[in-house]
Amino acid sequence: MEATEQLMCQPSDSFNPLITTSFQVSCILVISHIFHLVLKPLGQPGPFAQLLAGVVLGPSLLSRIQRVKDFFIQASAAKYYQFFSFVCRMLFMFSIGLETDVPYLRRNIRVVSIVAGGGSILACLFGGPFFWLLIKVFNVTKERFAFYLLTLTVLANSASPIVIRMIAETKFDTADLGRMAIYSSLVNEMSCVTIVSTLKAFSSSGRFGGAILITLVTVAVIFVNKYLSYFFNKRNQNNRFVSNKEIFVIMFLLTCLALYAEWVGYTAIFCCFLVGLMFPREGKTARTLLHKLTYSVNTFILPVYFGYTGFQLDISNIFNKLTLALTVLMILVSVGTRIVGTLAACHYLMIPWNESVILSLLLCLKGNYDLILINTNPNPNMVWAADLHDFLLTVVVLNTLIIGPVAAILLNREESSAQYPTILEILNPESELRILACVYVPRHVSGHVSLISALGGCPTAPIKPYMVHLVELPKKRKSKLMYHQLEDGDQYSDEEEYGGNDVLEINDALDAFISETKILVHQSKIVASFLTINEDVCNGAEDLRVCIIFLPFHKHQRIDGKMENSMEEIRAINQKVLRHAPCSVGIFVDRGQTGFQQPHGSQCVQNIAILFFGGPDDREALACSKRILMHSKVNLTVIRFLHKTTASRSSNSWINDASQKDEEVIMAISNIGTENEIDNAFVETFYNRYVAQGRAGFVEKYVSSGQETVAVLREIADSYSLFIVGKGGRGTCPLTSGMSDWEECPELGLVGDLLASSELDISGSILVIQRHRHSEAEGGFLDD
């Protein structure tokens, strides 16, 4: 009853607080959007503009006007602000947990923990003396332990939502630096929540029991969500998304958990994050939650939350000389200890200096859990003194307003000069491989997931696959339904209807693949004209920092085994992507049931052949095979084609003794030109590392012309389920002379085109790989 009265308009209020709260939210969104338009060309991300909008609207500026102050700042409006902040925190922490890259966090938990803990530990060491200084100045006589925890949290905590949005808006969320900053801030903040909550629980017997109950309820909600996700996925097999009612059930459970945690006396951010982190990723339920939450959280919830953080700042509170000096001192202590500690941790981990500085500044950002503690009463019968509350609040907000722009400038400078591996040849076989697979229709999915399965067969060689559905934008489209006429769960967006039933079939195929292999494939959709969709593919590959793009062939195999041209537009798109791709490209010719199948779950071992003629594209194909041969259900053989004149030379002497030193082996190779030297050295390294250890086979075929090469290809046509070959880049090669007479699809190269043609009539699939062309990729799209 008392809580209900607090959320009602009091007699002393001039306006209904619900109206003022709604109008404040609208003003924050409008002002932050204006600031963002002004500051974005200067390299400043959205969170800074939103914080600034809150400061402008708050008591620091506009609310100093009496009429504005009477409208926004009322006795009962504070409860509305607090409740709205609670709802925002609950939703965005659940969304953050849902989008967390668990495999990356598991692989790098040691690194991110050291980075997160370096600055926090140093801040806690300096927090002790500073705590006693604040006690003397503000005359804190009660709840000193709670105040000590509050002081340490303000010094040591990092605001993960602000860090995540800054990284995302600067397009650094796919870079190693950005992901390290995101998960270091998450580990830092969740550690602060856990430590403070644990100490509070042990300081009071009543709170300890409440902490145990919260833990049990959180675990129960996690298990219930797993069951609900499975049940909802099965119930909506013929739908793209689960219904709004089913999403409401999940949100209702989350809200009950969050309200109970807050009622007991703890913050709910860790519970909500944990529920999102443990939510099943595969299926329509997770896809629907991401679809509905991502847009609303990024465009509405977080901007309002950041704006309300700035709205609480009253700059007039630090005009006192002593308060101003303490504010500057505490900001210097917080920033200084964080920077020094993080730099020391990065030096220990041998992280480059420029990245270490950016990491240390990003982890200085505050404004989430520390604000919760500042606005939380130490006990039901006591509140923090107004001057102490305003002082700590000012420190947190000013700290972020000062450090945020500096970190953004350094991020933009780093982004413009950042480089990432765009070819497989230089990529460590045990480092993360990022793939972008493009599909147009459901039949393309099976071939691409088979490649993803083959490349992701080894736990020590992580893979991060993305699959994008390319949909042609129709010239005219009209929606005749109003919003209230839509079916339950449908979206009032024409874009959601693009792709027709293909979207449902693609989603079902991917859900089955993820469920069977446990390889999470990140889905997206591009709706654009086929004349310019290649630009979207290339830009997306650059933003995702992928190492290779897989494209489908424009022909598909019929039931009688013949290849039929299904979409001529695909051929033109493939040619444009090959010319302008920011990374390597592979075109996959799928032979259906007679070709390459998904290795995961297969009972038989599939044979794969790498056809090596020489040149950068063939080396890229051989580099790709390093990942594939790690799969237990794959038997890989490298077939190297050499000219007959080299048969009498000692070019294969290094094969007979793989234990020779590299210098001796290289001297024994018959070298003809620089390109041959690179080829020989690359093949030698592959042989010593994989073939000599029995992990791959190696065969040499000696030919003198293209006709003999074709004869060899006919002999092995039915022996392998997948042929991998480079597109070209061999120059004038006598091994393929005369093969251009069969050329029909130049985007596959001479050998790839021959394998895909009806001339050989092979039953295996073909993967043609082109190494990244730096010079051509820089040419832009003007000549198309």
Side-chain angles (χ1 to χ4, degrees), residues 509-531:
L510 276 181
D511 291 341
F513 172 77
I514 295 172
S515 178
E516 182 178 359
T517 64
K518 305 304 178 186
I519 299 176
L520 182 63
V521 181
H522 302 267
Q523 289 180 255
S524 61
K525 181 165 62 175
I526 295 177
V527 181
S529 170
F530 275 176
L531 295 176

Side-chain angles (χ1 to χ4, degrees), residues 30 41 43 57 61 91 100 106 134 287 293 311 358 363 395 412 419 449 496 514 516 537 579 613 632 692 765:
V30 172
L57 191 62
L61 287 175
L91 292 177
T100 297
R106 189 185 297 117
L134 294 179
R287 185 182 297 111
L293 285 177
F311 181 83
I358 295 175
L363 294 179
V395 169
N412 290 320
Q419 296 181 350
V449 297
E496 293 307 318
I514 295 172
E516 182 178 359
V537 172
R579 286 198 297 269
F613 293 86
S632 59
S765 301

Side-chain angles (χ1 to χ4, degrees), residues 215-253:
T215 304
L216 294 177
V217 173
T218 303
V219 173
V221 171
I222 290 173
F223 278 101
V224 170
N225 279 343
K226 288 183 179 294
Y227 170 77
L228 288 176
S229 176
Y230 172 78
F231 175 72
F232 292 157
N233 291 341
K234 189 174 182 181
R235 185 182 179 187
N236 294 273
Q237 290 182 354
N238 298 323
N239 300 324
R240 296 186 185 182
F241 302 103
V242 301
S243 66
N244 293 330
K245 297 176 183 177
E246 291 161 336
I247 294 299
F248 175 78
V249 172
I250 296 174
M251 290 293 101
F252 177 76
L253 291 175

Side-chain angles (χ1 to χ4, degrees), residues 548-565:
I548 187 169
I549 302 172
F550 286 134
L551 301 171
F553 192 47
H554 67 278
K555 295 182 180 181
H556 72 277
Q557 189 176 36
R558 300 185 310 197
I559 298 178
D560 59 1
K562 301 298 182 181
M563 299 297 291
E564 180 181 3
N565 191 347

Side-chain angles (χ1 to χ4, degrees), residues 157 259 347 415 452 512-513 575 577:
N157 184 63
L259 287 173
H347 178 73
E415 197 274 337
I452 293 173
F513 172 77
Q575 292 172 347
V577 173

Side-chain angles (χ1 to χ4, degrees), residues 243-287:
S243 66
N244 293 330
K245 297 176 183 177
E246 291 161 336
I247 294 299
F248 175 78
V249 172
I250 296 174
M251 290 293 101
F252 177 76
L253 291 175
L254 181 68
T255 305
C256 291
L257 171 63
L259 287 173
Y260 178 71
E262 297 279 342
W263 178 71
V264 173
Y266 295 91
T267 178
I269 61 175
F270 185 70
C271 299
C272 297
F273 170 76
L274 198 60
V275 171
L277 183 70
M278 301 302 294
F279 199 90
R281 298 298 200 275
E282 66 274 3
K284 296 178 174 62
T285 307
R287 185 182 297 111

Side-chain angles (χ1 to χ4, degrees), residues 764-781:
S765 301
I766 304 128
L767 177 61
V768 180
I769 295 180
Q770 174 186 277
R771 190 176 185 266
H772 179 212
R773 268 55 162 159
H774 294 274
S775 59
E776 295 181 11
E778 294 170 358
F781 302 96

Side-chain angles (χ1 to χ4, degrees), residues 58-295:
S60 296
L61 287 175
L62 291 181
S63 290
R64 296 180 68 87
I65 303 172
Q66 191 61 39
R67 290 187 178 181
V68 178
K69 181 179 179 181
D70 292 340
F71 182 77
F72 283 126
I73 304 176
Q74 302 182 73
S76 56
K79 295 298 179 181
Y80 283 87
Y81 297 148
Q82 293 173 9
F83 180 75
F84 194 79
S85 296
F86 159 76
V87 174
C88 290
R89 286 197 303 269
M90 177 188 71
L91 292 177
F92 71 65
M93 290 309 299
F94 176 73
S95 177
I96 289 173
L98 197 62
E99 295 179 348
T100 297
D101 190 345
V102 178
Y104 175 86
L105 188 59
R106 189 185 297 117
R107 293 194 309 268
N108 299 277
I109 186 63
R110 172 182 171 271
V111 175
V112 298
S113 297
I114 293 175
V115 173
S120 298
I121 293 173
L122 192 61
C124 291
L125 294 177
F126 279 82
F130 202 81
F131 162 72
W132 291 109
L133 175 62
L134 294 179
I135 281 181
K136 298 299 182 182
V137 173
F138 291 99
N139 193 24
V140 180
T141 58
K142 298 180 180 180
E143 295 291 344
R144 288 192 172 185
F145 181 69
F147 181 63
Y148 180 65
L149 294 179
L150 174 59
T151 304
L152 293 186
T153 302
V154 171
L155 292 174
N157 184 63
S158 298
S160 57
I162 297 180
V163 175
I164 290 172
R165 287 312 305 157
M166 285 194 65
I167 294 295
E169 294 199 14
T170 52
K171 296 184 179 181
F172 246 89
D173 51 341
T174 56
D176 290 336
L177 172 61
R179 291 195 289 175
M180 187 179 298
I182 288 173
Y183 294 113
S184 295
S185 65
L186 267 176
V187 169
N188 178 278
E189 188 159 48
M190 295 304 109
S191 299
C192 289
V193 174
T194 304
I195 293 172
V196 172
S197 299
T198 303
L199 292 176
K200 283 185 176 181
F202 281 101
S203 64
S204 174
S205 58
R207 286 195 169 186
F208 181 77
I212 297 297
L213 287 176
I214 291 173
T215 304
L216 294 177
V217 173
T218 303
V219 173
V221 171
I222 290 173
F223 278 101
V224 170
N225 279 343
K226 288 183 179 294
Y227 170 77
L228 288 176
S229 176
Y230 172 78
F231 175 72
F232 292 157
N233 291 341
K234 189 174 182 181
R235 185 182 179 187
N236 294 273
Q237 290 182 354
N238 298 323
N239 300 324
R240 296 186 185 182
F241 302 103
V242 301
S243 66
N244 293 330
K245 297 176 183 177
E246 291 161 336
I247 294 299
F248 175 78
V249 172
I250 296 174
M251 290 293 101
F252 177 76
L253 291 175
L254 181 68
T255 305
C256 291
L257 171 63
L259 287 173
Y260 178 71
E262 297 279 342
W263 178 71
V264 173
Y266 295 91
T267 178
I269 61 175
F270 185 70
C271 299
C272 297
F273 170 76
L274 198 60
V275 171
L277 183 70
M278 301 302 294
F279 199 90
R281 298 298 200 275
E282 66 274 3
K284 296 178 174 62
T285 307
R287 185 182 297 111
T288 306
L289 284 170
L290 286 172
H291 177 77
K292 290 182 178 294
L293 285 177
T294 302
Y295 178 79

